Amino acid sequence: MKRRNTPSKQAVLDVLIQSGQAMSHDAIEGQLEMDINRATIYRILNQFCEDGMVHTIVANDGKHYFALCNNSEIAPSGFHFHFSCTKCKTISCLDQEVQLNLPPGFVMEKANCVVTGTCQNCV
Amino acid sequence: MKRRNTPSKQAVLDVLIQSGQAMSHDAIEGQLEMDINRATIYRILNQFCEDGMVHTIVANDGKHYFALCNNSEIAPSGFHFHFSCTKCKTISCLDQEVQLNLPPGFVMEKANCVVTGTCQNCV
DNA sequence: TATATTATTGCAACAATGTCGCATTAATAT
DNA sequence: ATATTAATGCGACATTGTTGCAATAATATA
Ligand SMILES: [Mn+2]
Ligand SMILES: [Mn+2]
Ligand SMILES: [Zn+2]
Ligand SMILES: [Zn+2]
């Protein structure tokens, strides 16, 4: 399927760029000026993920958070940790690669690593 | 609240012991011979977590998985990786501690780290 | 053993998240 | 200007997890 540019996609992208954080569907919808249907927002986000512009984090609340990929993340298997601050509620990408010694026979395809605590802005 | 021993608690515990894997509410209910209400199962599992017998993993499907703590996990801040096999659908505890260098000012309270891929039983 | 206390349970209801089918709309190419 | 089909809105749905409340049952006490 060839992608088409639409105001909705642009609006969702703008919200993600402007925030600089990983955002849930909920938070994205809250920041949108335009009204966009929930299903549509999810479809847009999933499309961004397919296209490698965005990656998802599954946080401790079980919700999916969506964050822009920066260029260094384009590298294959560049899985990194995420930090979830319980005070300011932000979820951000850490500059820490996930690396571990798997037992023989195990093959890692992806990783979802979320560290929870308090961030540097919250004392 | 003082805990009471009940057939329901024992049954849930038996299922967890017998499986040796992290299990979702769903899977636990499926393995129970007794019929136990969904809310009750969740309450039992959450109680086990409070009491430090069980820990939870949030997997990529956004669901909570519950796994028995082995004795070495009683140690405070002993966060470890988990492995989720896409073929046999098992989620198991890895003997790999989560350790990372957080930027100054960050404080880690807990970690939810799930590596997805294929396990040693699935070639 | 009989009774009182209250933890536990079942039930119903609920909120939230995420997906899907289908008809309509609109972006793109010709 | 028109045809193609990707994108959208709407409604419906499945699933997960929690909560209030009344009924039940585990435990302690007399
Ligand atoms: Mn990230
Ligand atoms: Mn574990
Ligand atoms: Zn913070
Ligand atoms: Zn496997």
Side-chain angles (χ1 to χ4, degrees):
Chain A
M1 293 200 208
K2 205 177 295 180
R3 303 302 190 207
R4 294 181 182 177
N5 294 323
T6 67
S8 295
K9 289 187 190 177
Q10 191 58 54
V12 170
L13 184 57
D14 287 345
V15 167
L16 284 176
I17 292 173
Q18 208 269 335
S19 110
Q21 304 280 344
M23 298 180 79
S24 66
H25 156 272
D26 205 37
I28 292 170
E29 191 176 51
Q31 288 300 312
L32 283 169
E33 301 184 353
M34 198 178 323
D35 259 5
I36 309 181
N37 183 268
R38 183 168 74 250
T40 302
I41 297 178
Y42 276 115
R43 282 188 277 234
I44 289 172
L45 290 168
N46 290 339
Q47 207 175 72
F48 285 170
C49 289
E50 279 179 39
D51 297 345
M53 298 169 52
V54 164
H55 62 289
T56 67
I57 303 112
V58 179
N60 274 84
D61 56 11
K63 289 163 49 175
H64 287 82
Y65 287 72
F66 301 87
L68 287 176
C69 296
N70 61 38
N71 295 349
S72 68
E73 288 176 29
I74 290 175
S77 82
F79 299 109
H80 53 274
F81 281 93
H82 294 91
F83 196 89
S84 170
C85 179
T86 53
K87 295 202 175 155
C88 64
K89 310 296 181 194
T90 60
I91 298 181
S92 46
C93 302
L94 290 178
D95 193 12
Q96 276 268 324
E97 203 176 324
V98 174
Q99 47 188 329
L100 73 165
N101 298 324
L102 284 170
F106 284 78
V107 178
M108 169 164 105
E109 282 164 14
K110 54 182 177 172
N112 183 70
C113 298
V114 180
V115 176
T116 306
T118 51
C119 79
Q120 91 280 26
N121 293 330
C122 298
V123 185
Chain B
M1 294 200 209
K2 205 177 298 180
R3 304 302 190 207
R4 293 181 183 176
N5 293 323
T6 68
S8 295
K9 290 187 189 176
Q10 191 58 54
V12 170
L13 184 58
D14 287 344
V15 167
L16 285 176
I17 291 173
Q18 207 269 334
S19 112
Q21 304 281 343
M23 299 180 78
S24 65
H25 155 272
D26 205 36
I28 292 171
E29 192 177 50
Q31 288 300 311
L32 282 169
E33 301 184 354
M34 200 177 319
D35 258 6
I36 308 180
N37 183 267
R38 183 168 74 249
T40 302
I41 297 179
Y42 276 115
R43 282 188 278 232
I44 289 173
L45 291 168
N46 290 338
Q47 207 175 71
F48 285 170
C49 289
E50 280 179 38
D51 297 345
M53 297 169 52
V54 163
H55 62 289
T56 67
I57 304 113
V58 179
N60 274 86
D61 56 10
K63 291 163 49 175
H64 287 81
Y65 288 73
F66 302 86
L68 286 177
C69 297
N70 61 37
N71 295 349
S72 69
E73 288 175 27
I74 291 175
S77 83
F79 298 110
H80 52 274
F81 282 94
H82 295 91
F83 196 88
S84 169
C85 178
T86 54
K87 296 202 175 154
C88 64
K89 311 295 181 194
T90 61
I91 298 181
S92 46
C93 303
L94 290 177
D95 193 12
Q96 276 266 324
E97 205 175 323
V98 174
Q99 47 188 331
L100 73 166
N101 299 323
L102 285 170
F106 284 78
V107 177
M108 167 164 109
E109 281 165 13
K110 54 181 178 174
N112 182 70
C113 298
V114 180
V115 176
T116 305
T118 51
C119 77
Q120 92 280 28
N121 293 329
C122 298
V123 184

